[in-house]
Amino acid sequence: MRNVMKLWLGCGILLLSGVAAGQAQKAPVQPMYEAKDLDPVVLRALEKWPDGKLDTDKNHGGWSYEEGVLLDGMAAEWHQTGDGRLFSYIKAAVDRSVDKDGVIHMANGGPFPVDGHSMDDIEMGRSLVVLYRVTQDPRYYKAAKFLHDQMQKQPKNASGGYWHKQIYPNQMWLDGAYMSEPFLASYARTFNQPDDLTGVAEQLLLMDTHMRNRGTGLLHHGWDESKQMDWANKKTGLSPEIWARAMGWYAMALVDVLERMPATDPQRLAIEAVTRRTLQNVMRFQDGQSGLWWEVMDKGSQKGNYLEASASCMFVYAIAKGIRLGMLPFTAGDNVTRGWAGIQKQFVKQDGTLSGTVSVGGLGGSPYRSGTYDYYLSEKVVDNDSKGVGSYLLALSEVTQRERAGDLLRRSRGKTVLIDGWFNSQKRKSADGHEELWHYKFGDEANSGYSVWGRMFQQYGVRTETLDHAPTAADLKDAAVYIIASPDIPALNPKPNYMDAESAAVVEAWVKAGGILVMMENDSEHADQTHLDILSDKFGIHFNPVTRNRELNDSYVNTMVKIPAGVGGIFRQAHIATMKETCTITVSKPARVVLTDKGDTTDEGDVLMAVSQVGKGMVYANVDPWIYNEYTDGRKNPLGEDNFAGGQELTRWIVSEIGLH
């Protein structure tokens, strides 16, 4: 595990929490949201294409890039709604094609076509990585590794660029950027193969070098390095026109890969530069009246051209994400607002139908596709194309995050949320055999992880990082948020690293200088309290060695905690939270009670939350790490609790406090 990256200056927040995440229980899964809480386009997809069984393409929900793009959108929406039905949808769709041994089968039941070397067939691998990270089921790893190994055999042109397919020798298509590179980047981060990210970056940069039109700054759909294809310019090898969806594939690939690149990656600055330039040029060609984009991007005024849905959704997604990642100025938010309004007005019908998507676009082949202006306008425009719907859901996910973040994005973008990997340094072996930190980590997508909470922070433009050693003043001065989750006990980690006086002094000084400390603890059966109190006692907060809120006989009734609206100035709405096997807090000055088991702010009941202002900093304490994935990602909500919504409010409060003390 590499050391923490020191990126941006800022005050800090420290969160400490502790309890081993519970294992899966026998309680039935209940939907967390009523139908009215989901976007109509999402609802239509769930109802009309159950388990991803598409009726709009030749594969009918089999292994295909059309299916994969839809599932990408479902995953993005699951992350932003906490609705577990969307995860179940992804899993059911993938499980139709991947057997118990991790072998991929196509829609016709036959094996994956290894000789086709088609980058389109790689795209759905993104869903495999999602499923592996959440379930830790090795069959999804086996299937993902198969696709990864396939890409190592993908033919390349003389410059090192992937052929789009075996049948298209020496040709790079922009489509391929999205079909393969985000999957390879996800695989590299999940299975600790940083060298693969270098190859990913090289492919994207190669496209920018050879396919960009120097006049418009936009990229042509295809490039034949051999210049042998009839559609290829005999000097440049480029196809004739700028097809909007091809540009959309490339724009989405850039921001998705960038999101997965460590700040220390040697190619990151180059990818950032290409991303900025690409998105700025995309915005130049946004239609001023409708806020949308044209099928042939740079010829909006030409006869026969039309505004196209899938590309417009792709650009809204990429621009909004580019702003969140710090690649674009905040003024680009106007482009997002106008684009999203145009999509709603022109393409979305009341029943959730998404109209206006061109069904296909390609080069060469039989029947022959010339790549000319007239060719692109000759392809059918259809309703409810899965590529368009998937792109719409991706755009929706980013628009949702923008709406939640609001003006706080300006204050928080570029700050760092630092989670501890020292006081909780539990490790597990991944399916490929490498060791990884887990348990209350942002990178842990399983029940035990804090990946949901990490994304809640990320919607404010915050970077999430891990600290794998005892905190120093140098580490903390560059952090906006520092989370120590579930300090280890010997029963969970044979070699625990305990909080000590030296580390506590470092953290205390940091808080007094303006940091915001948030402590979330649990009972001593699952986490260290004795040593943690060396730190917490400094702020008038003492965690007591008792256990309450036990789950009894598979009943969750005792674990439900009522959070009243307005409590502590933190939660604007009322919530029911799962807080299982908790301790209690004893409060002394300067701390104050935020919530007791009586649902109030007195100290007459058992204290569950407390706040303390110390110097220029703030301390928040909780008796449970309740925002961990098991009860927050919507796959398991036995009594309809809303940890997701409550976690969103807590996160917003934390972010809103940055820089105020």
Side-chain angles (χ1 to χ4, degrees):
M1 175 83 184
R2 59 185 174 80
N3 288 346
V4 63
M5 290 179 283
K6 299 173 178 64
L7 300 168
W8 293 282
L9 294 175
C11 70
I13 300 172
L14 170 66
L15 293 90
L16 298 116
S17 70
V19 65
Q23 301 300 311
Q25 302 292 321
K26 298 178 181 179
V29 175
Q30 298 181 5
M32 189 172 166
Y33 287 82
E34 298 297 331
K36 62 182 173 60
D37 293 309
L38 290 175
D39 184 274
V41 177
V42 182
L43 285 173
R44 191 206 170 281
L46 293 175
E47 294 165 1
K48 301 298 184 182
W49 299 330
D51 297 338
K53 295 176 182 176
L54 305 178
D55 58 9
T56 57
D57 69 88
K58 62 184 179 181
N59 295 295
H60 297 291
W63 187 272
S64 68
Y65 83 94
E66 292 97 335
E67 176 88 354
V69 177
L70 175 65
L71 298 185
D72 294 344
M74 287 292 180
E77 268 302 279
W78 171 49
H79 291 156
Q80 297 312 317
T81 63
D83 191 318
R85 289 175 295 176
L86 305 184
F87 175 83
S88 298
Y89 187 93
I90 298 166
K91 189 175 186 303
V94 171
D95 285 353
R96 282 201 310 277
S97 298
V98 179
D99 67 23
K100 62 182 178 59
D101 298 315
V103 176
I104 299 172
H105 301 272
M106 307 308 284
N108 62 7
F112 186 97
V114 295
D115 295 334
H117 294 295
S118 171
M119 295 178 76
D120 289 349
D121 291 336
I122 302 299
E123 200 287 334
M124 202 163 153
R126 296 178 67 168
S127 295
L128 291 172
V129 178
V130 168
L131 292 176
Y132 169 75
R133 291 175 67 92
V134 173
T135 67
Q136 298 291 294
D137 188 332
R139 71 188 177 105
Y140 298 122
Y141 159 69
K142 292 175 183 176
K145 184 178 186 301
F146 171 82
L147 296 181
H148 170 270
D149 293 348
Q150 276 294 112
M151 285 305 301
Q152 310 314 302
K153 302 172 185 176
Q154 188 76 7
K156 294 181 179 180
N157 62 22
S159 296
Y162 289 133
W163 295 7
H164 189 63
K165 294 182 181 181
Q166 184 75 36
I167 60 174
Y168 300 136
N170 299 303
Q171 300 171 41
M172 295 191 82
W173 293 13
L174 291 182
D175 316 41
Y178 187 81
M179 302 305 156
S180 63
E181 308 311 336
F183 161 71
L184 291 172
S186 296
Y187 187 94
R189 289 303 301 270
T190 300
F191 300 110
N192 194 30
Q193 297 193 26
D195 290 346
D196 281 4
L197 279 171
T198 299
V200 167
E202 288 173 350
Q203 294 296 315
L204 296 173
L205 296 174
L206 194 63
M207 287 181 167
D208 178 70
T209 298
H210 291 278
M211 302 173 74
R212 179 161 45 91
N213 182 292
R214 297 307 187 260
T216 64
L218 303 174
L219 279 67
H220 290 258
H221 186 183
W223 169 50
D224 172 17
E225 187 174 40
S226 72
K227 305 178 182 64
Q228 297 300 306
M229 296 301 298
D230 289 344
W231 53 257
N233 183 289
K234 298 311 175 186
K235 291 184 179 180
T236 64
L238 294 173
S239 59
E241 299 290 353
I242 309 294
W243 181 40
R245 188 155 74 218
M247 272 299 302
W249 292 129
Y250 185 66
M252 292 202 301
L254 286 171
V255 294
D256 285 1
V257 167
L258 191 61
E259 185 179 41
R260 292 160 173 81
M261 292 185 79
T264 54
D265 191 285
Q267 298 276 35
R268 184 178 174 92
L269 291 179
I271 294 296
E272 287 182 354
V274 169
T275 301
R276 288 192 190 95
R277 181 174 62 231
T278 299
L279 295 180
Q280 286 167 351
N281 287 318
V282 164
M283 291 189 294
R284 285 176 52 215
F285 288 91
Q286 185 174 14
D287 181 61
Q289 183 174 354
S290 67
L292 302 171
W293 282 264
W294 297 88
E295 164 73 349
V296 180
M297 276 188 75
D298 57 338
K299 295 182 177 178
S301 62
Q302 199 158 313
K303 183 179 179 180
N305 209 353
Y306 59 89
L307 299 166
E308 202 275 332
S310 66
S312 296
C313 292
M314 290 173 175
F315 293 139
V316 166
Y317 169 77
I319 294 167
K321 193 166 186 174
I323 296 169
R324 182 166 62 83
L325 296 178
M327 296 300 102
L328 292 174
F330 292 111
T331 54
D334 180 61
N335 299 80
V336 175
T337 300
R338 290 190 294 113
W340 188 243
I343 289 166
Q344 297 298 318
K345 180 179 180 180
Q346 182 137 342
F347 299 128
V348 180
K349 299 180 181 179
Q350 190 171 4
D351 67 351
T353 291
L354 182 75
S355 64
T357 298
V358 64
S359 60
V360 71
L363 297 166
S366 180
Y368 182 73
R369 298 166 295 182
S370 64
T372 61
Y373 181 83
D374 289 341
Y375 159 69
Y376 286 116
L377 299 185
S378 71
E379 294 287 7
K380 288 192 305 182
V381 178
V382 299
D383 291 349
N384 297 319
D385 181 277
S386 61
K387 300 181 292 296
V389 172
S391 301
Y392 176 90
L393 301 187
L394 288 165
L396 174 62
S397 73
E398 286 295 331
V399 169
T400 299
Q401 292 180 78
R402 281 187 59 77
E403 291 174 349
R404 286 201 189 113
D407 290 339
L408 284 178
L409 183 63
R410 292 178 179 270
R411 184 194 305 174
S412 57
R413 190 178 75 173
K415 304 296 184 184
T416 300
V417 178
L418 190 61
I419 198 163
D420 164 66
W422 179 251
F423 301 112
N424 180 327
S425 60
Q426 297 174 49
K427 293 184 178 181
R428 67 185 175 200
K429 280 194 174 182
S430 69
D432 71 331
H434 83 272
E435 279 197 333
E436 61 185 9
L437 288 166
W438 71 291
H439 199 195
Y440 303 125
K441 301 296 182 289
F442 291 141
D444 184 0
E445 302 269 352
N447 282 352
S448 52
Y450 262 154
S451 61
V452 176
W453 200 9
R455 281 187 288 269
M456 290 179 185
F457 281 112
Q458 289 164 4
Q459 69 193 350
Y460 295 96
V462 172
R463 183 186 295 277
T464 53
E465 293 293 343
T466 302
L467 182 64
D468 64 353
H469 55 265
T472 67
D475 296 323
L476 295 183
K477 78 178 180 65
D478 287 347
V481 180
Y482 177 39
I483 303 173
I484 301 176
S486 187
D488 291 333
I489 56 176
L492 299 176
N493 184 350
K495 298 180 179 180
N497 301 306
Y498 291 129
M499 177 64 66
D500 55 22
E502 181 179 358
S503 293
V506 167
V507 174
E508 180 186 21
W510 170 74
V511 171
K512 287 182 176 179
I516 303 173
L517 166 66
V518 184
M519 297 180 287
M520 301 169 76
E521 181 57 288
N522 210 308
D523 69 319
S524 55
E525 295 176 16
H526 297 98
D528 173 57
Q529 291 178 338
T530 302
H531 300 91
L532 180 59
D533 279 337
I534 295 172
L535 174 63
S536 63
D537 285 347
K538 293 177 179 292
F539 310 112
I541 295 168
H542 186 85
F543 294 109
N544 302 315
V546 300
T547 299
R548 55 164 295 153
N549 290 25
R550 287 190 183 276
E551 174 193 343
L552 302 175
N553 299 320
D554 292 332
S555 171
Y556 287 82
V557 173
N558 291 333
T559 72
M560 296 294 115
V561 172
K562 293 182 179 180
I563 302 176
V567 68
I570 297 172
F571 301 94
R572 294 171 295 183
Q573 305 294 324
H575 302 285
I576 301 294
T578 300
M579 296 188 189
K580 188 172 72 171
E581 289 142 8
T582 78
C583 65
T584 63
I585 295 172
T586 297
V587 172
S588 60
K589 291 184 178 180
R592 63 179 175 85
V593 175
V594 170
L595 178 69
T596 72
D597 62 334
K598 307 296 183 183
D600 57 24
T601 59
T602 70
D603 57 2
E604 295 180 1
D606 285 346
V607 178
L608 307 180
M609 299 183 192
V611 168
S612 180
Q613 186 161 349
V614 180
K616 297 180 180 179
M618 181 79 72
V619 178
Y620 168 86
N622 197 308
V623 296
D624 190 84
W626 56 289
I627 316 175
Y628 59 93
N629 296 345
E630 185 174 6
Y631 299 102
T632 307
D633 70 9
R635 294 182 298 128
K636 176 184 177 183
N637 299 104
L639 295 178
E641 66 274 27
D642 62 345
N643 286 24
F644 184 89
Q648 289 282 1
E649 290 219 70
L650 177 61
T651 305
R652 181 177 180 83
W653 177 79
I654 292 169
V655 173
S656 71
E657 292 291 315
I658 294 175
L660 297 184
H661 301 278

